[in-house]
Amino acid sequence: MRRLVSVAFVLTALIVQVSIVNRLPLPDGRPDLVVLVVVALALVRGPEYGAVVGFAAGLAADVVPPADHTTGRLALAYAVVGYAAGLLEDAEERSVLATVLVVAACSAAAVVGYAGVGALVGDERITIAALRNSMVATVIYDVVLAPFVVPVVSGAARRAEPAGYGVRP
């Protein structure tokens, strides 16, 4: 059930991202719904799960049309983001402000990771100005959407956990 919920949220975020969000005439950048879902799942299930779901979500985003970049760039960026967000797994001690800060940091890291790998493989569209504008816009959009997306995904992921999962003696 856990995997089904994760797959459903990742695919839904990916479809909404490609079919609706990417077509919105927003200045400089776009919100990244897939990063929000990866962060929410990682916060519930931990770093290993976050890295795996981040890699899978990124790989799916890499191959969904109209992908115009080298396959694996988003997979690497989202895997790192999922792992980093999962390090803050303990939900009982995490405040709303901490969650928003994690979303902001992970959004920025995803943009920088994607651009960094792009620069390494010779993507000529990567410039410092474009990176700065895109990162600022994406972080702002993701922080605005975080209170709506993260609690829904986190709550559903917690309810899908089997009884006794995550209980440590």
Side-chain angles (χ1 to χ4, degrees):
M1 187 66 163
R2 294 181 305 178
R3 289 185 187 108
L4 182 62
V5 168
S6 297
V7 168
F9 275 115
V10 167
L11 289 178
T12 301
L14 191 56
I15 290 168
V16 171
Q17 181 77 42
V18 170
S19 62
I20 298 172
V21 174
N22 288 351
R23 295 178 186 197
L24 294 174
L26 299 172
D28 290 328
R30 308 261 179 291
D32 194 339
L33 298 178
V34 180
V35 164
L36 291 174
V37 169
V38 168
V39 167
L41 291 171
L43 287 172
V44 171
R45 300 218 175 104
E48 295 85 11
Y49 193 87
V52 170
V53 80
F55 180 80
L59 192 57
D62 279 329
V63 298
V64 164
D68 61 349
H69 57 271
T70 307
T71 302
R73 283 171 64 180
L74 285 173
L76 177 61
Y78 290 177
V80 171
V81 163
Y83 183 82
L87 291 173
L88 302 169
E89 174 185 10
D90 193 3
E92 287 75 29
E93 296 189 19
R94 192 176 61 245
S95 68
V96 173
L97 178 61
T99 302
V100 170
L101 292 175
V102 168
V103 166
C106 288
S107 294
V111 172
V112 170
Y114 175 80
V117 173
L120 287 174
V121 298
D123 188 343
E124 295 152 358
R125 298 172 293 180
I126 305 297
T127 64
I128 296 296
L131 172 63
R132 183 182 56 244
N133 293 340
S134 178
M135 183 171 57
V136 169
T138 300
V139 168
I140 290 170
Y141 293 138
D142 283 354
V143 165
V144 168
L145 289 176
F148 304 103
V149 175
V150 173
V152 170
V153 174
S154 297
R158 279 192 198 93
R159 283 190 296 278
E161 295 291 339
Y165 179 80
V167 177
R168 296 179 182 140

